Amino acid sequence: MSEMGRGAPAQSATADREIVISRLIDAPRELVFEAFTEVRHLSQWWGPEGFTTTTRAFEFRVGGEWDFVMHGPDGTDYQEWITWTEIAPPERIAMLHGESRGDPNAFTSVLTFVPDGAATRIEMRTVFPTKDLRDEAVEKYHAIEGGQQTLSNLAAYVTEIVRKGAEG
């Protein structure tokens, strides 16, 4: 083994274009996964704090799309479009996310759901077409905080379902 290879973690080829966010959620993997599969769930938690969504079209299948508008707390509307490129329940979802179909700046996100005892570790790995687009997402759109808030909203939503289920 060469000296260079020792001690340094393997850097992925896309490291300078990606954002990775993860969170441990106190709910079973199937439930955390299911929260991504239906609009009635997604509309309850999707997006950063203070955001709401209006869905125009939704079809959860590979090649299906979710056409929606995110409404920011300041009144700004953001046109959003997602198509699913891989769905492997309850382990993995991959998607392409842009402002509309054919968006040249669309980015890919891969969500993985790993059981951790009774809880689930979710990881969201987003890869942008260029480093500049990644940097813009981080600096201008606060993508890291927004992603963390989104996963926090997801955690609150599914743990409430678990709590209600335990009471019922």
Side-chain angles (χ1 to χ4, degrees), residues 21-95:
I21 297 165
S22 70
R23 184 180 176 104
L24 189 64
I25 296 179
D26 198 10
R29 175 165 77 159
E30 289 72 17
L31 178 61
V32 178
F33 186 94
E34 188 186 306
F36 281 86
T37 65
E38 295 179 36
V39 163
R40 68 185 174 91
H41 293 313
L42 282 160
S43 61
Q44 299 295 314
W45 64 267
W46 182 268
E49 281 168 28
F51 279 75
T52 58
T53 61
T54 300
T55 293
R56 294 190 178 128
F58 182 88
E59 193 177 6
F60 187 74
R61 62 173 179 82
V62 171
E65 38 189 66
W66 181 21
D67 181 7
F68 63 106
V69 178
M70 286 180 67
H71 310 286
D74 64 356
T76 305
D77 286 347
Y78 302 89
Q79 174 59 46
E80 303 281 333
W81 177 87
I82 284 174
T83 185
W84 289 276
T85 54
E86 182 189 352
I87 299 171
E91 293 161 24
R92 187 177 154 98
I93 299 172
M95 57 191 171

Side-chain angles (χ1 to χ4, degrees), residues 112-129:
T112 51
F113 304 81
V114 178
D116 187 337
T120 304
R121 174 152 307 275
I122 181 169
E123 181 187 88
M124 184 164 59
R125 178 177 297 269
T126 301
V127 179
F128 293 84

